[in-house]
Amino acid sequence: MENLGRRRTITLLAFPLIIGWLIIGTAVNLRMILLGRFTTGISLGMAKASAPIYVSETARAQHRGKLGYFPPIMSALGVLMGCILGSILQWKQLALLMTLFPIFLFFSSLFLPESPHWLIKMNQEDKAFQSLKRLRHWRGNNNDDLRIYKEIHEIRETIEESTAVSPHDEKVPLLHVLEEKEVRFPAMLVFSLMIFQQFSGVSAVIYYLKMILNHGDGTSNQLAMPPGKAPPPHGNDIRPAILGLVHFLAFFISLPLVDRVGRKFLLKVSGILMALSHLMLATYLYKYVPSDTSVSGIPQGSSSANMVAAAVSNETISGIQSGAALVAEPIHSWIPLLSLCAYIASFSLASPIPFILMSEIFGANVRSYMASAATLVASIASFIVVEMFPVLMYGVSPTFTFALFAFLSIQSTFVAFIMPETKGKTLAEIEHLFKAPRDFKGKIKETIEVPCEQVSVISGTSMALCNYSFDVKKSNNEKERMAPVGRYPKYTT
């Protein structure tokens, strides 16, 4: 991202995605499948870091939150399409179909303007002006020129301040970067939110969905089917598609709210609702499902690798032994699906916010570096959840597993209490915001004074950036800040 630019990085990511899906679609052995999954996984990890940064650096302050929701929305749409098409097509056909999306990404990204932040950082202000003309709907009048030059000046000033603290061309270890106050507090917030959101169990719910639902309704062991009756085919189970649809539609509830009620409010509501959803499922499992977690063919005390293999091969996490009766009454069998739908909807309310924050609150000199680190933290947390979920279900109990998810889900609410609100603020204002001294609760101890400076923007035209005190609870109206006339800023010719 630093050498090629945000837009070029997104464009080039299409190639490994195409290659990875082609390898999977034409695979003749397990090694080819693993190679394809590795290629697509690396590419998607890079996309999770680059796409939010591109959105944050090109969007206006009052639209940045809404636009930041679109990458996760597209991800949820992909999950929904996988649930629907996976019940219709063979997996090889589905993999070949997936190559169409990175092809579309490649050609559509060619027409996108480059990030003005990156262009200014690379001392290409003429290209940054042209990029902002496209992004800000330039109409050719003098006021539009002044707005764009004012924004260029703010971006340049922010980059210069960040570079003065830690030059961007210095390659330093992550621990050294975290020693800086301007980086340490934002990193603590973003890393904590990434970890607690993943530890709420979203990856386990998506990857082991059929196993959880079968365990809850008592149909989890194929050996428990009546003699002579085969288990139903995958295509007849619409429950994954229902969950995928809920996951996709829930984003549109929080989409209009993220720039109105703010990031903090959505994080608090999401954490509380996720915890309640998990508690409902844990209560159901405790009351209606036996606590015996032994699995047919897998003795107690087996290694975690054997437990994961059993979960995948049997498509179940269950304590039902061969010939056992169904353990859940039919009247209660809808509760697991309802609980998981409530959880995934609650998760969707605020799941994009950590990725929005990681592209907002870091300085321009470390933004791409720290965004990559935050994405890595989220991926490691997701891997831990996926690996440990069968161990907890087999080795401890389903009730304990989802009660633990409920406890971890509520932790993101506590992080939200110490997190400053960033809605409606420009990236320059957010960077000044995190430079202010704070108390142990994360609250700012004093206002921030921004110095006044007279700058020349075009021949015969100057712009006065006047002193103002930045208050966390004020200056959220970008139209007022960007107005060509008025108290701030004042333009003179």
Side-chain angles (χ1 to χ4, degrees), residues 219-283:
T219 61
S220 55
N221 199 323
Q222 295 178 5
L223 295 177
M225 295 297 295
K229 185 176 180 181
H234 286 283
N236 292 345
D237 193 352
I238 65 170
R239 296 174 298 177
I242 293 175
L243 193 82
L245 182 63
V246 171
H247 183 33
F248 175 68
L249 295 178
F251 282 108
F252 295 95
I253 299 175
S254 54
L255 182 62
L257 299 177
V258 63
D259 285 318
R260 293 187 181 182
V261 300
R263 283 69 156 150
K264 291 167 63 75
F265 178 79
L266 288 177
L267 280 171
K268 295 173 185 177
V269 172
S270 175
I272 294 172
L273 293 180
M274 284 192 296
L276 293 176
S277 303
H278 279 317
L279 285 176
M280 181 168 66
L281 180 56
T283 303

Side-chain angles (χ1 to χ4, degrees), residues 260-392:
R260 293 187 181 182
V261 300
R263 283 69 156 150
K264 291 167 63 75
F265 178 79
L266 288 177
L267 280 171
K268 295 173 185 177
V269 172
S270 175
I272 294 172
L273 293 180
M274 284 192 296
L276 293 176
S277 303
H278 279 317
L279 285 176
M280 181 168 66
L281 180 56
T283 303
Y284 168 83
L285 294 173
Y286 176 77
K287 188 173 181 179
Y288 295 103
V289 178
S291 58
D292 180 19
T293 57
S294 61
V295 182
S296 178
I298 302 294
Q300 292 283 359
S302 297
S303 66
S304 60
N306 288 339
M307 293 181 180
V308 174
V312 175
S313 62
N314 294 336
E315 297 187 349
T316 177
I317 297 175
S318 171
I320 304 175
Q321 299 299 319
S322 177
L326 297 183
V327 299
E329 298 177 12
I331 192 172
H332 301 297
S333 61
W334 54 269
I335 296 180
L337 178 60
L338 176 63
S339 302
L340 294 180
C341 285
Y343 162 73
I344 207 70
S346 305
F347 175 82
S348 302
L349 287 178
S351 62
I353 290 180
F355 292 93
I356 295 174
L357 286 175
M358 80 177 185
S359 61
E360 291 179 333
I361 64 180
F362 292 115
N365 62 317
V366 296
R367 185 173 296 136
S368 59
Y369 186 28
M370 295 306 299
S372 300
T375 305
L376 176 62
V377 169
S379 301
I380 293 174
S382 175
F383 175 79
I384 293 173
V385 170
V386 172
E387 287 296 309
M388 291 302 298
F389 182 76
V391 177
L392 291 173

